[in-house]
Amino acid sequence: MAKMLTAHGRHLGRCVVQLSSPSQQTAGLGRGVAMCRLHSSPVWCSTFDVKSDDYQYIHKSKIPTMHFQKSLLRLPIPALDKTCERYLRSQKVILSSEEYQRTEKFVTQFKEGIGATLQFQLKDIDKANKHTSYICGPWFDMYLSDRVPVVLNYNPFLAFHPEERPGLSDPVIRVTNTLVSSLRFMRSLRDSVLEPVVYHLNPAKSDTPMFRKIVRWTPSAISSYAAYAQKAFPLDMSQFGNMFNSTRIPKLGKDVLRTYPKARHMLIMKNGHFYVFDVLDKDGNILSPEHIHACVSYIYNDQTPPAKRSIAIFTTENRDTWAKCRDELVEAGNEAALDVLDAAAFNIVFDEAILGDDPIKTYHTFLHGDGNNRWFDKSFSLICTADSQLALNFEHGWGDGVAVMNYFTEITKDLANRPSINSDSRPAPIDASKLVRRLEFTLTPSLEAAIDKAHQSYEANTSALKCDVLEPQFFGKKLCKKNKLSPDALMQLGLQAAYYLQNGETVPTYESCSTAAFKHGRTETVRPATLETQAFCKAITQAQLPSHSELKKLMMECSKMHGNLTKEAAMGQGFDRHLFALRKLAEASGSPMPDIFTDPAYAKINHIIISTSTLPSDEIGFGGFAPVVRNGLGVGYHIRDDHLAFGVSTYPPHRDGPGFVECATKAYQIIQDVLTKE
């Protein structure tokens, strides 16, 4: 299992970046479309039977979607002494000798005193709540109680590759096809025929019809164990229930997540306006692609001028500020319209930006935009630009990378194999104006003033954010594996070396790791800044660069340590979530906080300067997120077979993004020279 999670666990705690743009041409478009030879250019003719399972579902799994959920292993609570040991190991690399000695003293006192009591309490609570994990509740509370705006602080984006097939790249066509594929995914999930998310350690042996037949007939209470026996590892899917018809509602002190499972409509935004229309019939069937095409086309071509003041900007605000404004919106008679907006399956945004091949403009458009034409509280939004670039921006409180990436991957495959319409398709001959409703909101003078103020704050916050890019180059996975070194370890080593070359120090660094192999697992933190990476950084900054063999030895030590840390995190044996849970118990007790948590070193290690994340998926074209602290770096990266790349976000003058990219170029060149030295 540890080996499985080393490969699968590094996920979108935030997101990934891929700056190359490989064509996604396909030789055949599969079911649902027929290639017509009556014209010189390809023409697609819809052949869907809209009542058929082939149209209604993205696929029909033989294994019920939640079949493994009941029997998933529970997230373990690490031994207290191991957590203390791991915590000190990570602290040692960022503290002075004097600071470390003080922290070591506090940790020892904690381990031998109040920490043991808190550990006992945590285990008691865990035993009484076997339906979940010890971290699930506190982690939801952390997201929903934070009062900072979700945009820039939590919501990341993932961009799809450009649509390069003829007849499919028009914004209306692309949005319609993506909407239909998304609805297939949603219906498959609702009807429990979406394939369970399973990591196959040896796909040739376990990702087979026989495996599915065996586990299908295995009782759900033990089905995960049947999968484990075949080296297949089901992942937690509890978050999937908040993916559709779901939204985050602002409340004073703590937000709530609300779902509307019976809702049948879709939300599309354009020019700050909100449009809704049904996409399912009364029996829950997806309406025809021609019907959906007609509604999407009507919205896209609607000539209503941009909203002078859109309530969308409220979702960019401080959460308490937004909660007060929402209450005022309700008092002004807008409750019904807000409910319709909140209940929609998800959100699609038509954005007027033209991105071309500009990664910086892409980054800013998909991460935040102008705030007037987004609804950041929705579980997720698909944003389509005027030149048909498409990305997903999602609210992080409800879920992590496993759910989002499963959706992203499945609809990408569906779109590649069976798009529903093309440029020769015609919308259904219906009066879409009677099917689409534009939501209207009554604004009081104080709400208008609040909107204006929110725009000023948003402009100040987003204009301060900068993005820089390391274009695809250097080495990739193949060369790393040839040298028996972890690709992710070397990617992280390059980031550590870049920061050290630029600033001459080692700082707290975060890499997200999924714990979805466990029931209600969320994420754990890998701490890539280690004594081993620090030794490498010091070596390459010497006046005389060490020999390639000496550097290779240091790189091997870094790779080994990074692998161990990743395995620990994936198996629920990191220290961050455990200490977080113990701290929440200490806070709830009303007693003075233990010294370990008031120690400046605890605040320091949790002030993440280098926040990083990746997803090992070729389906993603580009992605990013903002730094988690003002003087930090937000690094979304990928490493493919033959190259690596990343995007880095900063808030100048606190950080120098171009300088970091320049130092990373030097660092990766040094690593590549070592890897290519025979």
Side-chain angles (χ1 to χ4, degrees):
M1 183 185 251
K3 183 178 179 182
M4 175 276 287
L5 285 166
T6 301
H8 189 81
R10 290 181 299 273
H11 79 301
L12 180 69
R14 293 298 185 101
C15 58
V16 66
V17 58
Q18 177 174 321
L19 300 168
S20 54
S21 301
S23 171
Q24 291 190 322
Q25 299 281 353
T26 52
L29 295 179
R31 300 172 296 171
V33 279
M35 183 73 79
C36 300
R37 300 296 184 186
L38 302 178
H39 303 275
S40 58
S41 59
V43 178
W44 290 269
C45 306
S46 175
T47 61
F48 283 115
D49 173 1
V50 296
K51 296 295 185 182
S52 70
D53 287 352
D54 191 48
Y55 175 71
Q56 292 291 321
Y57 298 105
I58 204 157
H59 55 235
K60 290 196 74 174
S61 170
K62 294 185 179 298
I63 309 170
T65 303
M66 298 297 175
H67 186 61
F68 298 108
Q69 197 66 27
K70 187 183 295 185
S71 58
L72 287 174
L73 293 172
R74 299 197 63 226
L75 183 68
I77 296 176
L80 182 60
D81 60 338
K82 288 293 185 182
T83 287
C84 291
E85 176 186 318
R86 292 162 182 151
Y87 175 66
L88 287 173
R89 179 178 63 194
S90 287
Q91 284 283 22
K92 194 167 190 176
V93 73
I94 63 171
L95 298 179
S96 67
S97 297
E98 182 180 345
E99 290 171 329
Y100 181 78
Q101 288 175 7
R102 184 176 64 243
T103 295
E104 189 176 35
K105 175 185 173 183
F106 292 150
V107 170
T108 300
Q109 291 173 348
F110 181 74
K111 180 174 63 175
E112 296 175 353
I114 187 62
T117 302
L118 295 172
Q119 176 81 341
F120 183 81
Q121 292 175 3
L122 185 61
K123 288 186 174 181
D124 260 6
I125 293 170
D126 190 52
K127 287 178 183 177
N129 294 276
K130 293 185 177 180
H131 64 286
T132 187
S133 69
Y134 78 91
I135 197 61
C136 186
W139 209 242
F140 269 117
D141 286 345
M142 181 273 295
Y143 274 116
L144 297 176
S145 298
D146 199 353
R147 301 293 81 196
V148 301
V150 294
V151 63
L152 298 188
N153 293 294
Y154 286 113
N155 288 32
F157 80 89
L158 301 172
F160 294 80
H161 288 293
E163 176 56 82
E164 297 177 351
R165 292 171 295 177
L168 298 176
S169 61
D170 175 80
V172 170
I173 303 299
R174 191 167 196 192
V175 163
T176 301
N177 282 327
T178 306
L179 175 52
V180 170
S181 289
S182 299
L183 294 172
R184 288 175 181 146
F185 183 97
M186 182 181 77
R187 173 121 200 245
S188 300
L189 175 62
R190 285 183 172 181
D191 292 356
S192 198
V193 294
L194 184 70
E195 184 86 6
V197 183
V198 178
Y199 180 82
H200 296 272
L201 191 60
N202 189 340
K205 292 186 177 181
S206 62
D207 194 5
T208 63
M210 180 57 70
F211 167 81
R212 287 167 174 78
K213 184 176 181 180
I214 292 171
V215 297
R216 177 188 180 189
W217 295 110
T218 303
S220 59
I222 59 172
S223 57
S224 292
Y225 296 93
Y228 299 152
Q230 300 181 65
K231 298 190 183 305
F233 300 90
L235 303 183
D236 178 77
M237 296 183 70
S238 61
Q239 297 171 9
F240 281 63
N242 286 320
M243 186 179 295
F244 296 99
N245 302 103
S246 174
T247 196
R248 176 171 175 162
I249 305 290
K251 297 287 184 181
L252 288 174
K254 180 184 173 182
D255 295 351
V256 296
L257 295 176
R258 189 171 295 166
T259 57
Y260 306 78
K262 295 183 179 180
R264 298 188 282 120
H265 64 279
M266 184 64 203
L267 169 68
I268 291 183
M269 295 184 69
K270 181 191 174 192
N271 288 331
H273 297 295
F274 303 86
Y275 302 83
V276 294
F277 60 97
D278 283 350
V279 288
L280 305 176
D281 67 18
K282 61 182 177 60
D283 298 317
N285 297 306
I286 303 169
L287 297 174
S288 73
E290 293 82 9
H291 181 106
I292 294 172
H293 184 189
C295 293
V296 172
S297 181
Y298 172 81
I299 294 168
Y300 184 79
N301 291 300
D302 183 46
Q303 297 301 306
T304 302
K308 184 177 179 181
R309 289 186 176 91
S310 174
I311 68 166
I313 194 67
F314 284 140
T315 65
T316 73
E317 268 283 18
N318 170 279
R319 301 307 294 178
D320 281 342
T321 301
W322 173 202
K324 293 173 184 176
C325 290
R326 185 181 172 104
D327 287 344
E328 189 171 345
L329 280 166
V330 170
E331 291 174 5
N334 298 296
E335 184 172 14
L338 286 169
D339 285 344
V340 171
L341 192 160
D342 293 333
F346 60 98
N347 183 28
I348 291 177
V349 176
F350 279 121
D351 192 287
E352 293 187 341
I354 297 176
L355 305 180
D357 295 323
D358 185 344
I360 308 304
K361 190 173 183 180
T362 298
Y363 200 101
H364 288 289
T365 298
F366 290 145
L367 183 63
H368 58 79
D370 68 2
N372 203 48
N373 197 37
R374 304 285 189 273
W375 194 256
F376 290 109
D377 287 0
K378 207 70 184 127
S379 53
F380 71 92
S381 297
L382 295 176
I383 304 165
C384 185
T385 63
D387 56 346
S388 207
Q389 308 254 21
L390 185 70
L392 180 152
N393 182 298
F394 74 96
E395 195 279 313
H396 224 316
W398 67 268
D400 302 312
V402 170
V404 172
M405 269 312 300
N406 183 253
Y407 161 78
F408 196 101
T409 301
E410 289 294 342
I411 69 162
T412 298
K413 289 191 297 185
D414 195 59
L415 288 165
N417 293 326
R418 48 174 192 167
S420 302
I421 65 168
N422 72 95
S423 58
D424 289 295
S425 302
R426 294 293 174 263
I430 55 179
D431 186 356
S433 67
K434 296 181 179 179
L435 301 173
V436 176
R437 178 159 65 104
R438 181 162 58 85
L439 300 179
E440 300 281 357
F441 293 91
T442 300
L443 299 179
T444 63
S446 62
L447 284 170
E448 291 180 346
I451 288 174
D452 294 341
K453 183 178 179 181
H455 269 294
Q456 293 173 7
S457 298
Y458 192 63
E459 173 61 25
N461 290 333
T462 56
S463 64
L465 183 74
K466 304 301 178 185
C467 173
D468 296 280
V469 167
L470 178 71
E471 298 284 355
Q473 56 185 303
F474 298 116
F475 56 90
K477 291 180 180 179
K478 289 181 179 178
L479 188 57
C480 296
K481 292 177 179 178
K482 180 181 177 181
N483 284 270
K484 295 182 170 52
L485 294 167
S486 160
D488 190 67
L490 294 191
M491 191 76 215
Q492 288 285 347
L493 178 58
L495 299 177
Q496 289 297 310
Y499 191 89
Y500 199 91
L501 285 168
Q502 186 183 32
N503 301 284
E505 63 176 345
T506 301
V507 292
T509 306
Y510 171 97
E511 179 181 5
S512 180
C513 181
S514 174
T515 52
F518 301 99
K519 185 180 292 185
H520 291 193
R522 294 286 311 232
T523 61
E524 182 54 271
T525 302
V526 177
R527 295 283 184 166
T530 64
L531 294 171
E532 289 75 13
T533 61
Q534 190 177 63
F536 178 86
C537 293
K538 289 180 177 179
I540 65 170
T541 54
Q542 293 177 10
Q544 180 66 41
L545 196 68
S547 67
H548 283 111
S549 61
E550 291 173 314
L551 290 176
K552 178 71 171 290
K553 182 180 178 180
L554 291 172
M555 287 162 54
M556 292 179 70
E557 291 171 354
C558 293
S559 181
K560 181 180 178 181
M561 175 54 71
H562 189 77
N564 290 339
L565 292 174
T566 303
K567 289 175 184 177
E568 287 176 356
M571 296 303 294
Q573 295 297 323
F575 69 81
D576 280 270
R577 301 298 179 266
H578 187 201
L579 285 180
F580 176 83
L582 295 174
R583 179 169 64 85
K584 299 307 286 185
L585 285 178
E587 289 175 353
S589 72
S591 300
M593 284 295 287
D595 289 338
I596 187 176
F597 298 125
T598 59
D599 178 14
Y602 184 75
K604 182 175 183 177
I605 201 170
N606 287 295
H607 186 85
I608 304 297
I609 299 298
I610 310 175
S611 182
T612 74
S613 192
T614 184
L615 270 173
S617 173
D618 291 337
E619 309 295 348
I620 297 171
F622 189 36
F625 55 94
V628 297
V629 293
R630 203 69 176 178
N631 63 333
L633 305 163
V635 184
Y637 67 87
H638 81 245
I639 181 165
R640 299 292 184 248
D641 283 345
D642 58 359
H643 71 268
L644 59 84
F646 68 71
V648 56
S649 58
T650 57
Y651 289 108
H654 303 287
R655 292 292 167 198
D656 174 14
F660 182 80
V661 171
E662 181 181 346
C663 289
T665 301
K666 295 177 183 177
Y668 287 121
Q669 186 63 60
I670 291 171
I671 295 173
Q672 177 170 276
D673 290 344
V674 174
L675 293 176
T676 55
K677 182 70 174 179
E678 295 296 336

